């Protein structure tokens, strides 16, 4: 444990959370251990785990508090809980995972198993003990799971716990099909498939369209092409890499505006249905994206950009450069919560 190696923070919570120390408070193992030995029980009730998760997201997993997430350092949360939360944990847990944080939930017999699994990155990361005095018995299991985390990459596929609702969304995937993504295209295809599997695809609920682009754009299918999830998934599984160069993202954005987010192609924008664009790209655009991005924004389209390189799209509030796997939970949550403040317009 050193400044340039492992960093540790500790937060206690009950009705509200308090940081005992942050990731950049101490730089030596000795200081951390001395601070832990001196911890005093916080006390208080009720137990608001959702609020506590939001607290660590906003105040601990931040650069100012010592987080090195922007440097690609794995972000790990170990939650020890002795009962069921009084408040909701779903939104804050999903938001944490969206940042690339990998939560482990450890609960006693009084904890809610479903709640622990919702918070944890994967059900195998949700551990149970009869009492906190039994924590040494699961230490090896916890360590074994943690070593599977390698610079932000998890070997297992995450399990998503989604509370479905009756809301409607029109979701368009715009995929970089240029020569540069040829080797990575199977992963892109699997990613899109995973997100769609957690959507409520029907004619009067969620609708999906997929567009590939390189030097030009081509619609694989439109929002009104298929009315069942089975048909959409079968088509996604059969997608073939488009190929071509250079990468003209501006022209592709204009294409989806003119040809996909339209009533004739199944868009329900005029009925007030949220319009969502998920752009996955592997490189910098050769053409200008400003005009088409601004036009899409004017239509009320919300966009999430997932890129391997820096992209200059005016007004984008968040871009991601981590693995598709770690982004899976976050993108799913955005589809099911289009009013989220994390959802960024172009």
């Amino acid at each position: 444990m050193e400044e340039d190696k492992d960093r540790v923070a500790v937060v206690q919570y009950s009705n509200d959370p308090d940081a005992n120390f942050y990731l950049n408070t101490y730089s030596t193992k000795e200081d951390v251990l001395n601070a832990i030995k001196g911890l005093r029980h916080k006390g208080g009730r009720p137990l608001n785990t959702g609020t506590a998760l939001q607290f660590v997201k906003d105040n601990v997993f931040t650069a100012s508090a010592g987080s090195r997430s922007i440097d690609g350092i794995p972000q790990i949360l170990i939650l020890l809980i002795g009962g069921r939360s009084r408040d909701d944990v779903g939104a804050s847990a999903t938001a944490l995972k969206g940042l690339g944080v990998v939560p482990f939930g450890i609960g006693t017999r009084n904890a809610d198993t479903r709640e622990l699994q919702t918070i944890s990155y994967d059900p195998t990361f949700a551990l149970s003990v009869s009492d906190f005095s039994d924590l040494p018995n699961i230490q090896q299991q916890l360590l074994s799971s943690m070593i599977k985390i390698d610079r932000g990459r998890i070997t297992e596929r995450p399990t998503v716990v989604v509370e479905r609702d009756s809301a409607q969304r029109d979701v368009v995937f715009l995929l970089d099909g240029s020569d540069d993504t040829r080797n990575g295209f199977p992963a892109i295809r699997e990613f899109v498939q995973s997100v769609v599997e957690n959507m409520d695809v029907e004619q009067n609920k969620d609708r999906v369209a997929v567009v590939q682009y390189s030097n030009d754009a081509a619609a694989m299918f439109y929002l009104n092409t298929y009315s069942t999830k089975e048909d959409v998934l079968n088509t996604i599984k059969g997608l073939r890499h488009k190929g071509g160069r250079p990468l003209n993202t501006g022209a592709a954005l204009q294409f989806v505006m003119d040809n996909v987010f339209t009533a004739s192609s199944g868009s329900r924008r005029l009925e007030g249905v949220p319009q969502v664009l998920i752009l996955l790209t592997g490189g910098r655009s050769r053409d200008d994206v400003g005009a088409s991005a601004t036009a899409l924004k004017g239509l009320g389209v919300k966009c999430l950009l997932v890129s391997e390189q820096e992209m200059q799209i005016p007004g984008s509030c968040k871009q991601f450069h981590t693995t598709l796997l770690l982004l899976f939970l976050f993108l799913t949550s955005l589809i099911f919560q289009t009013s989220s403040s994390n959802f960024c317009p172009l």
Side-chain angles (χ1 to χ4, degrees):
M1 185 176 299
E2 297 177 12
E3 184 69 20
D4 295 325
K5 294 186 179 179
D6 293 332
R7 295 182 183 179
V8 175
V10 172
V11 175
Q12 275 194 75
Y13 77 100
S14 52
N15 56 323
D16 60 354
D18 288 316
N20 294 95
F21 55 90
Y22 295 92
L23 292 165
N24 55 3
T25 302
Y26 302 114
S27 58
T28 68
K29 180 186 290 187
E30 181 181 7
D31 288 340
V32 170
L33 289 175
N34 285 337
I36 293 172
K37 291 174 184 177
L39 288 177
R40 294 186 177 183
H41 186 252
K42 180 182 188 301
R45 64 177 57 190
L47 190 66
N48 292 322
T49 305
T51 299
L53 293 174
Q54 189 67 40
F55 176 87
V56 296
K57 172 185 171 292
D58 296 339
N59 298 280
V60 183
F61 287 111
T62 63
S64 60
S67 169
R68 296 166 292 174
S69 62
I70 61 175
D71 299 321
I73 303 299
Q75 307 291 287
I76 300 172
L77 173 68
I78 300 175
L79 169 68
L80 292 95
I81 182 171
R84 182 171 186 168
S85 178
R86 179 69 63 89
D87 63 354
D88 177 69
V89 302
S92 49
T94 300
L96 269 172
K97 296 168 190 174
L99 290 180
V101 176
V102 180
F104 291 81
I106 303 174
T108 64
R109 67 169 70 91
N110 295 324
D112 184 276
T113 302
R114 170 82 171 178
E115 189 172 87
L116 280 176
Q117 292 179 344
T118 298
I119 294 169
S120 300
Y121 185 83
D122 182 273
T124 62
F125 293 179
L127 308 176
S128 297
V129 292
S130 296
D131 188 80
F132 285 131
S133 61
D134 294 326
L135 285 173
N137 297 334
I138 63 165
Q139 181 175 327
Q140 188 56 49
Q141 185 178 356
L142 176 62
L143 291 174
S144 297
S145 297
M146 289 178 63
I147 63 175
K148 296 175 183 176
I149 304 169
D150 178 24
R151 304 291 293 182
R153 180 166 57 86
I154 308 298
T155 57
E156 282 89 359
R157 184 191 188 90
T159 296
V160 181
V161 180
V162 178
E163 299 297 330
R164 302 187 184 279
D165 59 21
S166 59
Q168 299 172 315
R169 287 97 179 169
D170 292 338
V171 181
V172 178
F173 291 90
L174 180 57
L175 312 179
D176 181 347
S178 67
D179 291 345
D180 292 336
T181 63
R182 186 175 303 278
N183 292 336
F185 192 75
I188 293 175
R189 183 175 55 215
E190 181 180 354
F191 170 72
V192 175
Q193 178 184 333
S194 298
V195 176
V196 173
E197 284 174 346
N198 283 275
M199 294 175 61
D200 202 0
V201 180
E202 292 183 18
Q203 188 67 21
N204 295 319
K205 293 186 178 179
D206 293 330
R207 296 182 183 179
V208 176
V210 173
V211 175
Q212 271 196 78
Y213 77 101
S214 51
N215 56 321
D216 59 358
M220 304 295 100
F221 57 91
Y222 295 92
L223 291 165
N224 56 1
T225 303
Y226 302 114
S227 59
T228 69
K229 180 187 292 189
E230 182 181 7
D231 288 340
V232 170
L233 288 174
N234 285 337
T235 304
I236 292 172
K237 292 174 184 176
L239 288 178
R240 294 188 176 183
H241 186 252
K242 180 181 185 300
R245 63 177 56 190
L247 189 67
N248 292 322
T249 304
L253 293 173
Q254 188 68 41
F255 176 89
V256 296
M257 186 185 76
D258 294 340
N259 299 279
V260 185
F261 286 113
T262 62
S264 61
S265 295
S267 169
R268 296 165 291 178
R269 180 178 63 87
L270 298 178
E271 302 169 33
V273 174
Q275 306 292 285
V276 181
L277 175 66
I278 299 176
L279 168 62
L280 292 94
T281 180
R284 185 179 295 274
S285 178
R286 180 68 65 88
D287 64 351
D288 177 68
V289 301
S292 50
T294 300
L296 272 170
K297 180 180 178 180
L299 287 181
V301 176
K302 300 181 187 299
C303 173
L304 185 67
L305 168 65
V306 183
S307 64
E308 293 180 354
Q309 300 181 18
E310 287 292 337
M311 294 281 292
Q312 298 299 321
I313 294 186
S316 290
C317 66
K318 195 167 186 66
Q319 300 179 26
F320 297 92
H321 313 286
T322 54
T323 62
L324 292 176
L325 189 57
L326 283 177
L327 288 166
F328 172 58
L329 279 168
F330 189 48
L331 290 184
T332 303
S333 74
L334 291 181
I335 290 173
F336 282 87
Q337 301 176 38
T338 54
S339 61
S340 169
S341 60
N342 289 322
F343 216 105
C344 54
L346 283 168

